[in-house]
């Protein structure tokens, strides 16, 4: 597995980027120079490829301890496959940074210069000064605002080896067998009657954002205990509610804290929350609109994405003017890029304001989440997308999509039957997903898009 090392002088944001790419808080971050002294490692996934990410100690020679850290860091760099060299965009380039960058460049490994902390137009103008490094690959980052990390990941992705697709395609394999027998494309019938089953809705969020108040407002009774004490809800509280002849099964889950603050019985509550989400169709992600968004909010949003649920973002405790809504939604979209498909609604659970907007949204998201997409229309959209922006070749070889077909539901799962499925870059998959969202009603639902060979004797299947 390829190793990617984050390297640079102290306090340039290496540990923050490490935590961002690992999607969890592993490395300790602080404003104190030299906080990281040993290396941290984590296996991460960039789209469908895995790699080892390494957070190194800062390159410093100010005392004996830091000199030893520097020696260890440079040794790790020599054993790494890809180098991400970080500098502080709030500062002007200096000779020490240049010296280390040139030393690392001489290792003849893929190396990118990342100018971090580019948080404003002024910072962006200053970042041009770093062109004097002569780096071929440069990224401006604002790790704290999650800006530029997608571009960095796309660059790293190109140097990672192809892997066997890990996605569970057993449903598709059955579909393909059926296709081979019939000689025609048809959408597989869902095993569940989605038109009559109860709609399971999990209410999630960090502690004290108003999940219990929201449940009480939704079912129109005081079903869940509410207090200002954080962590009041430990056991899941569920209640049914009928709306337009459909049964909603709401479950108020325990609030999630930062990992280091979870104690005793709350550990069991967290496990139960995840079990509830495994059996849910839709997650109501509750955020406290009276407070700034936190990294923990982002992590909890990631849990909803992990279980491939339909998602509605609920801004609770909303007391701002209507004009502020677009501004807050813009910030949400920037922080939760992976939930760009989720609709946002502002409410005041305690006052019961705008709660009525959630019910039709649940029905809409559920309909999209469980829908059957007509195969002929699906392929029209795919062909139009490919005509407008052809699939990039793989080392000169043509990459073709023969057809697309839906093979699963809740969420919609679409197979792209291809000649070289592993050659479909994740950025092109993202382009196709955007085109599908433009053409079909997919508000609130993720879409699983899986490139797949037809048959087991193809050249791709025989590759090691």
């Amino acid at each position: 597995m390829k190793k990617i090392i984050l390297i640079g002088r102290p306090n340039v944001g290496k540990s923050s980027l490490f935590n961002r790419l690992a999607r969890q808080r592993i490395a300790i971050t602080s404003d104190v120079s030299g906080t990281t002294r040993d290396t941290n490692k984590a296996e991460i996934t960039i789209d469908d490829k895995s790699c080892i990410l390494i957070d190194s100690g800062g390159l410093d020679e100010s005392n004996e301890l830091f000199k030893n850290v520097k020696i260890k860091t440079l040794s790790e760099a020599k054993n790494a496959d890809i180098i991400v060299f970080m500098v502080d965009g709030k500062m002007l380039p200096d000779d020490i940074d240049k010296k280390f960058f040139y030393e690392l460049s001489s290792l003849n490994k893929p190396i990118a210069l990342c100018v971090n902390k580019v948080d404003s137009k002024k910072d962006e103008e200053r970042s041009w000064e770093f062109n004097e490094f002569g780096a071929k690959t440069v990224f401006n980052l604002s790790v704290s605002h999650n800006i530029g990390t997608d571009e960095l990941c796309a660059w790293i992705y190109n140097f990672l080896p192809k892997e066997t697709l890990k996605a569970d395609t057993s449903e598709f394999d059955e579909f393909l067998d059926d296709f081979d027998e019939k000689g025609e494309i048809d959408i597989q019938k869902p095993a569940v009657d989605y038109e009559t089953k109860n709609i399971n809705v999990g209410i999630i969020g960090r502690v004290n954002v108003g999940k219990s108040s929201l449940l009480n407002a939704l079912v129109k009774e005081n079903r869940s205990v509410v207090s200002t004490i954080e962590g009041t809800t430990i056991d899941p509280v569920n209640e049914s509610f009928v709306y337009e002849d459909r049964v909603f099964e709401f479950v108020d889950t325990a609030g999630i804290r930062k990992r280091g603050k979870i104690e005793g019985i709350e550990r069991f509550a967290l496990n139960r929350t995840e079990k509830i989400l495994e059996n849910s169709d839709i997650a109501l992600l509750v955020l406290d609109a009276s407070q700034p968004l936190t990294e923990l909010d982002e992590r909890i949003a990631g849990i909803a994405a992990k279980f491939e649920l339909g998602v509605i973002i609920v801004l609770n405790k909303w007391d701002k003017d209507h004009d502020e809504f677009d501004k807050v939604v813009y910030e949400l979209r920037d922080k939760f890029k992976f939930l760009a498909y989720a609709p946002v609604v502002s409410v005041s659970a305690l006052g019961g304001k705008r709660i009525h907007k959630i019910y039709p949204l649940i029905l809409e998201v559920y309909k999209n989440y469980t829908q059957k997409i007509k195969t002929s229309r699906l392929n029209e959209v795919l062909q139009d997308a490919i005509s407008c922006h052809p699939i990039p070749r793989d080392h000169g070889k043509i990459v073709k999509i023969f057809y697309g077909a839906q093979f699963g539901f809740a969420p919609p799962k679409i197979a792209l039957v291809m000649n070289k499925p592993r050659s479909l870059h994740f950025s092109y998959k993202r382009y196709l997903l955007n085109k599908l969202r433009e053409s079909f009603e997919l508000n609130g639902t993720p879409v699983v898009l899986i490139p797949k060979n037809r048959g087991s004797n193809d050249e791709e299947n025989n590759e090691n």
Side-chain angles (χ1 to χ4, degrees):
M1 198 175 290
K2 295 280 187 181
K3 295 178 182 177
I4 297 93
I5 188 167
L6 308 180
I7 194 166
R9 295 173 71 192
N11 212 31
V12 295
K14 299 184 298 297
S15 295
S16 295
L17 179 58
F18 178 83
N19 290 339
R20 173 75 68 182
L21 297 183
R23 295 177 185 171
Q24 53 184 310
R25 203 175 187 88
I26 300 173
I28 298 171
T29 59
S30 79
D31 294 329
V32 178
S33 180
T35 299
T36 302
R37 295 171 183 177
D38 292 305
T39 53
N40 285 312
K41 298 181 181 180
E43 182 178 336
I44 68 168
T45 301
I46 299 177
D47 195 55
D48 57 348
K49 296 180 180 180
S50 300
C51 58
I52 300 295
L53 185 66
I54 302 169
D55 176 29
S56 65
L59 298 172
D60 195 353
E61 299 177 326
S62 58
N63 60 40
E64 185 178 354
L65 171 61
F66 289 160
K67 284 179 181 177
N68 291 335
V69 171
K70 184 204 78 169
I71 292 169
K72 184 174 182 181
T73 294
L74 291 175
S75 175
E76 286 280 358
K78 289 176 182 176
N79 294 320
D81 301 291
I82 300 168
I83 298 171
V84 175
F85 187 83
M86 297 183 68
V87 293
D88 187 342
K90 300 291 186 189
M91 312 289 288
L92 288 171
D94 62 33
D95 291 338
I96 297 176
D97 276 328
K98 280 190 237 178
K99 171 194 164 188
F100 285 127
F101 182 77
Y102 296 152
E103 185 176 343
L104 293 166
S105 297
S106 68
L107 297 176
N108 292 319
K109 301 173 185 286
I111 182 170
L113 174 64
C114 289
V115 185
N116 190 29
K117 306 182 186 178
V118 180
D119 305 320
S120 66
K121 286 289 184 184
K122 186 177 180 181
D123 295 334
E124 195 172 337
E125 291 172 7
R126 190 190 304 112
S127 70
W128 286 101
E129 299 287 340
F130 288 92
N131 285 342
E132 65 187 62
F133 279 60
K136 293 181 180 178
T137 305
V138 182
F139 296 100
N140 284 351
L141 304 182
S142 174
V143 175
S144 61
H145 295 97
N146 197 22
I147 295 172
T149 51
D150 283 351
E151 291 78 5
L152 174 61
C153 285
W155 176 78
I156 294 172
Y157 181 92
N158 289 325
F159 295 101
L160 301 181
K162 297 174 182 177
E163 297 180 356
T164 303
L165 296 172
K166 295 181 179 178
D168 179 9
T169 59
S170 56
E171 289 176 89
F172 176 73
D173 293 334
E174 292 174 10
F175 168 83
L176 203 56
D177 290 342
D178 191 46
F179 168 81
D180 290 338
E181 288 176 10
K182 291 182 179 179
E184 60 184 18
I185 301 173
D186 192 15
I187 296 178
Q188 187 178 352
K189 290 183 179 179
V192 178
D193 186 355
Y194 291 116
E195 294 184 3
T196 60
K197 75 174 282 291
N198 293 355
I199 302 173
N200 297 319
V201 183
I203 304 174
I204 63 171
R206 56 186 168 92
V207 293
N208 216 30
V209 294
K211 298 183 303 302
S212 298
S213 298
L214 179 62
L215 174 65
N216 291 342
L218 285 167
V219 301
K220 301 181 180 179
E221 63 176 279
N222 291 329
R223 179 63 181 83
S224 195
V225 177
V226 176
S227 83
T228 57
I229 299 172
E230 290 190 351
T232 300
T233 302
I234 293 294
D235 291 309
V237 180
N238 63 294
E239 185 66 37
S240 299
F241 185 81
V242 179
Y243 176 79
E244 292 191 0
D245 298 326
R246 294 303 303 265
V247 178
F248 297 163
E249 289 283 355
F250 291 111
V251 184
D252 174 22
T253 62
I256 299 173
R257 299 176 186 266
K258 290 184 178 179
R259 189 173 297 277
K261 294 185 178 181
I262 298 174
E263 298 176 351
I265 195 170
E266 284 190 80
R267 292 187 183 276
F268 297 99
L270 177 59
N271 291 336
R272 266 185 274 178
T273 294
E274 294 210 343
K275 288 290 184 186
I276 288 165
L277 293 179
E278 283 181 15
N279 297 311
S280 296
D281 302 301
I282 294 171
L284 297 183
L285 173 62
V286 186
L287 304 174
D288 187 341
S290 68
Q291 298 179 2
L293 294 172
T294 68
E295 186 178 341
L296 183 57
D297 288 323
E298 189 176 346
R299 279 183 49 213
I300 295 168
I303 295 174
K306 166 186 166 186
F307 287 103
E308 296 179 343
L309 302 176
V311 179
I312 298 169
I313 299 174
V314 180
L315 294 173
N316 191 27
K317 307 182 186 179
W318 183 270
D319 60 0
K320 301 180 178 69
D321 294 334
H322 179 73
D323 293 342
E324 287 287 304
F325 183 74
D326 290 342
K327 181 180 175 181
V328 175
V329 170
Y330 179 84
E331 183 185 354
L332 266 174
R333 298 302 186 207
D334 184 54
K335 275 194 173 287
F336 300 165
K337 289 187 173 77
F338 53 91
L339 287 182
Y341 55 83
V344 182
V345 60
S346 64
V347 305
S348 175
L350 276 178
K353 294 179 181 177
R354 294 178 295 281
I355 295 296
H356 66 280
K357 293 188 173 184
I358 296 178
Y359 307 119
L361 258 183
I362 290 174
L363 287 182
E364 178 191 345
V365 170
Y366 183 76
K367 180 181 178 182
N368 298 340
Y369 185 68
T370 59
Q371 71 175 294
K372 299 178 183 179
I373 296 175
K374 192 174 181 181
T375 306
S376 58
R377 178 62 185 142
L378 169 64
N379 283 280
E380 284 176 12
V381 172
L382 290 174
Q383 289 307 313
D384 286 346
I386 294 167
S387 297
C388 292
H389 182 37
I391 306 170
R393 296 190 176 214
D394 180 14
H395 297 93
K397 296 181 179 178
I398 294 174
V399 180
K400 288 183 180 179
I401 296 176
F402 298 121
Y403 60 85
Q406 182 177 0
F407 66 92
F409 306 85
K413 296 172 185 168
I414 296 170
L416 302 175
V417 182
M418 304 180 60
N419 64 332
K420 298 177 74 65
R422 293 179 219 166
S423 297
L424 191 70
H425 196 274
F426 80 89
S427 60
Y428 196 84
K429 278 176 63 179
R430 186 165 53 195
Y431 162 72
L432 291 179
L433 281 170
N434 289 337
K435 288 297 182 182
L436 292 175
R437 290 193 179 281
E438 290 172 10
S439 304
F440 299 102
E441 295 296 330
L442 295 168
N443 186 37
T445 180
V447 179
V448 180
L449 203 59
I450 301 177
K452 180 74 175 172
N453 263 331
R454 182 183 170 193
S456 58
N457 298 318
D458 297 34
E459 175 191 347
E460 277 279 310
N461 283 333
N462 292 328
E463 287 183 9
N464 294 321

